[in-house]
């Protein structure tokens, strides 16, 4: 891996991780168009540690409060009715689907799922699902109305993002809108829900990213660190921007962007400018 590729992909990861456009699809497409070779699923997973560190910093007070309520609530029944205690369980339970499917289909996620035909189809297909959810979602339920059902449904929606092109944030936002949640409430839970799965995936992928016999390019330790730090900085800014944006705007701009990008990739594949694998 060259330094240019490491820096560019770090920027791409930081800018797209929290937007409903699929950061893994952007990493795959950027590698194919500009560098001619897939950087690999492990590189993407490790750079996501930077963006998840941004979540930990941005929501530090909320995370500490929720974690404290959960620990205290294990022993004190009076705490168990609080939203913070219940939210901790919602995040834990909602993280099970992506952990289970990620383990069962690890090999396919690192190989077949990164086919650019599949990626482009998912970009366009789930853009239409997102548009439908934006149009039909009642958006009457705030974060205070969150239930276990919401956590489970959004957990399964997050698991679908194991396929590049679906988008973890896009999937959870879509599910949240279908459940009647406001965009901001769905986005906040989406950020919290990502922490266990993405952090564990990134940590487990560290040995793989430096394995020269595996799929994808092999970065140096310095390149991996720089890419992750860049992803952290831009990811932090993206969180703040997205929360402000969804509070006052629809998600249709992301729908149009996904359709345009997916269509462009399909055209490049048909023209033979890039290869699917």
């Amino acid at each position: 891996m060259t330094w240019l590729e490491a820096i560019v992909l770090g920027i791409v990861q930081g800018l797209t991780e929290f937007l409903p456009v699929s950061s893994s699809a952007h990493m795959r497409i950027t590698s194919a168009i500009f560098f001619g070779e897939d950087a690999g699923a492990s590189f993407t997973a490790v750079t996501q540690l930077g963006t998840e560190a941004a979540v930990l910093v941005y929501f530090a007070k909320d995370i500490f409060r929720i974690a404290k309520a959960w620990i205290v609530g294990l022993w004190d029944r009076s705490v168990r009715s609080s939203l913070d205690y219940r939210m901790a369980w919602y995040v834990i339970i909602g993280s099970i689907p992506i952990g289970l499917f990620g383990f069962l289909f690890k090999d396919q996620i690192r190989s077949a799922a990164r086919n650019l035909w599949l990626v482009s189809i998912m970009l366009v297909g789930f853009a239409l699902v997102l548009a439908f959810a934006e149009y039909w979602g009642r958006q009457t339920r705030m974060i205070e109305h969150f239930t276990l059902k919401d956590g489970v449904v959004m957990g399964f929606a997050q698991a679908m993002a194991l396929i590049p092109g679906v988008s973890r944030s896009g999937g959870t936002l879509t599910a949240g809108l279908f459940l009647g949640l406001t965009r901001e409430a769905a986005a906040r839970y989406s950020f919290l829900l990502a922490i266990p799965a993405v952090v564990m995936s990134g940590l487990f992928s560290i040995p793989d990213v430096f394995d020269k016999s595996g799929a994808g390019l092999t970065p140096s330790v310095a390149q991996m660190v720089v890419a992750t730090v860049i992803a952290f900085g831009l990811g932090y800014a993206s969180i703040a921007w997205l929360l402000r944006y969804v509070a006052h705007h629809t998600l249709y701009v992301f729908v149009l962007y996904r359709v345009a990008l997916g269509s462009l990739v399909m055209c490049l594949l048909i023209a033979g400018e890039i290869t699917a694998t």
Side-chain angles (χ1 to χ4, degrees):
M1 178 175 288
T2 66
W3 271 103
L4 177 61
E5 185 167 9
I7 292 171
V8 168
L9 292 179
I11 292 172
V12 170
Q13 173 62 32
L15 291 176
T16 61
E17 169 65 16
F18 302 115
L19 305 183
V21 297
S22 180
S23 62
S24 57
H26 278 73
M27 297 283 274
R28 177 69 181 92
I29 293 168
T30 301
S31 292
I33 293 178
F34 297 104
F35 302 105
E37 189 172 355
D38 186 8
S42 296
F43 181 86
T44 299
V46 176
T47 56
Q48 286 177 332
L49 289 175
T51 47
E52 287 313 304
V55 173
L56 293 174
V57 173
Y58 191 92
F59 291 102
K61 291 182 179 179
D62 293 337
I63 294 169
F64 176 78
R65 190 183 67 248
I66 291 171
K68 179 181 177 182
W70 182 71
I71 294 172
V72 173
L74 292 176
W75 310 102
D76 186 349
R77 288 179 176 271
S78 65
V79 179
R80 297 177 186 178
S81 61
S82 69
L83 176 62
D84 287 336
Y85 177 81
R86 289 184 286 114
M87 187 59 69
W89 277 114
Y90 298 159
V91 170
I92 292 171
I93 295 171
S95 299
I96 294 174
I98 195 170
L100 178 62
F101 289 120
F103 175 77
L104 292 176
F105 300 104
K106 177 181 177 181
D107 292 337
Q108 291 86 343
I109 292 166
R110 293 172 180 270
S111 54
R114 298 183 69 80
N115 184 287
L116 283 175
W117 275 112
L118 178 61
V119 171
S120 57
I121 291 170
M122 291 298 101
L123 279 170
V124 175
F126 275 85
L128 302 179
V129 178
L130 177 60
F132 189 76
E134 175 66 43
Y135 183 79
W136 287 104
R138 299 188 308 274
Q139 299 187 43
T140 57
R141 301 174 58 224
M142 308 294 288
I143 195 68
E144 293 78 11
H145 305 135
F146 209 88
T147 66
L148 177 60
K149 174 186 174 183
D150 300 322
V152 172
V153 172
M154 293 179 70
F156 275 98
Q158 177 178 244
M160 295 176 67
L162 291 168
I163 303 173
V166 173
S167 172
R168 186 196 56 76
S169 59
T172 50
L173 280 172
T174 298
L177 290 174
F178 276 127
L179 291 166
L181 294 168
T182 64
R183 287 186 294 270
E184 188 173 10
R188 284 187 172 273
Y189 177 70
S190 176
F191 287 132
L192 296 174
L193 182 63
I195 294 172
V198 175
V199 170
M200 293 305 295
S201 174
L203 291 177
F204 280 120
S205 295
I206 290 176
D208 294 332
V209 81
F210 298 115
D211 182 2
K212 295 183 179 180
S213 64
L217 300 176
T218 305
S220 66
V221 173
Q223 288 171 335
M224 194 71 259
V225 170
V226 169
T228 305
V229 170
I230 291 172
F232 166 79
L234 292 177
Y236 187 91
S238 295
I239 295 172
W241 179 84
L242 183 63
L243 286 174
R244 288 195 301 270
Y245 183 87
V246 298
H248 305 289
H249 302 84
T250 69
L251 301 176
Y252 291 126
V253 65
F254 300 113
V255 171
L256 295 174
Y257 174 79
R258 288 175 62 105
V259 171
L261 179 60
S263 299
L264 172 62
V265 174
M266 290 181 192
C267 291
L268 292 174
L269 287 168
I270 293 172
E273 294 296 327
I274 56 176
T275 59
T277 57

